[in-house]
Every structure is written in C-alpha cells, then in structure tokens.
Amino acid sequence: MNPRLVNLLASFIRGTSDYALARLEFSMRFAERPAPPVLDRLPDASETALRERWDGIETQLAEIAAYVKQVESSAGTQERADPAFRWLRRTVRELDQYARALRWVLTVHGEDPAPEG
C-alpha cells in the first residue's frame, strides 16, 4: 500500500478522534442544542477499511458539515466565538480536507489500484 495513503489515513483517523472530543465539549457546553452528528472511525489505516467504509463516512461528514453551517447561521455572535464551537468547526474543516484528499486517491486509483512494489 502506498505510504502516502497510509499517512493520510492515519491523519484522518487522528482527526476523527479530535472531532469526537470537540463534539463532546460542544455538547457539554451547549446542552440545549442537539449534539453534533456522530462520525464513525476507520478501524485501521488500510485500503480495505477505506474502501469498505468510505461512502458511509462521507455521508456522515456531509451531515456534520451541514450541522456546523446550521449552527453558524442560527447562533449568536457569542456562541460562534465560543472556543468549543471554534474547535468543532476547525476539526470539521480539517476532516473535510482529508476527506477530499482521500476521495481523490480513490478516484485516481480506481476500484483496484495496482500494488506498489
């Protein structure tokens, strides 16, 4: 497997951990709001895990991005400036960047990428 893909997957997995913590902090800070959507975690940095679970994760990421946009449009200035929301928004942006890179890799390599060697 391509070492760059492994590194990208590892970064995405770390980002999902950051999102889980940011989600928890935001939910605790703003208990009156519905919690941000859950994001499944890839079990490992393997191409098999990526191919088996990626479509579902992309769907979850779209729901998460929509949630953040909804909070941005409906929240007051103080809530948008709150560190818990800023952390949530930052982790979602980072995950989106990783997701775009991973989708590009999947698209370029097709369904059955040739093994490197």
Side-chain angles (χ1 to χ4, degrees):
M1 186 167 153
N2 184 330
R4 290 183 186 137
L5 180 58
V6 171
N7 288 336
L8 185 56
L9 283 169
S11 295
F12 183 81
I13 291 169
R14 277 191 303 278
T16 60
S17 295
D18 290 345
Y19 172 75
L21 292 173
R23 178 183 181 269
L24 177 61
E25 185 173 331
F26 180 83
S27 296
M28 291 174 59
R29 178 79 172 92
F30 299 101
E32 70 282 357
R33 283 192 171 274
V38 172
L39 178 61
D40 290 339
R41 187 181 160 123
L42 288 170
D44 56 44
S46 72
E47 191 170 331
T48 301
L50 177 65
R51 292 199 184 280
E52 289 175 355
R53 298 194 178 191
W54 190 247
D55 289 339
I57 288 174
E58 276 188 320
T59 299
Q60 290 174 332
L61 286 171
E63 292 169 2
I64 291 165
Y67 177 90
V68 169
K69 284 182 183 181
Q70 187 275 327
V71 171
E72 285 178 322
S73 66
S74 68
T77 304
Q78 187 174 12
E79 191 173 329
R80 285 191 309 263
D82 189 273
F85 177 69
R86 290 194 335 257
W87 185 26
L88 180 72
R89 183 176 51 205
R90 185 173 53 250
T91 60
V92 171
R93 287 179 180 166
E94 288 173 4
L95 285 170
D96 181 61
Q97 290 174 344
Y98 291 133
R100 289 172 191 267
L102 286 165
R103 174 49 64 191
W104 181 84
V105 168
L106 287 172
T107 302
V108 168
H109 288 289
E111 288 303 311
D112 294 312
E116 295 207 3

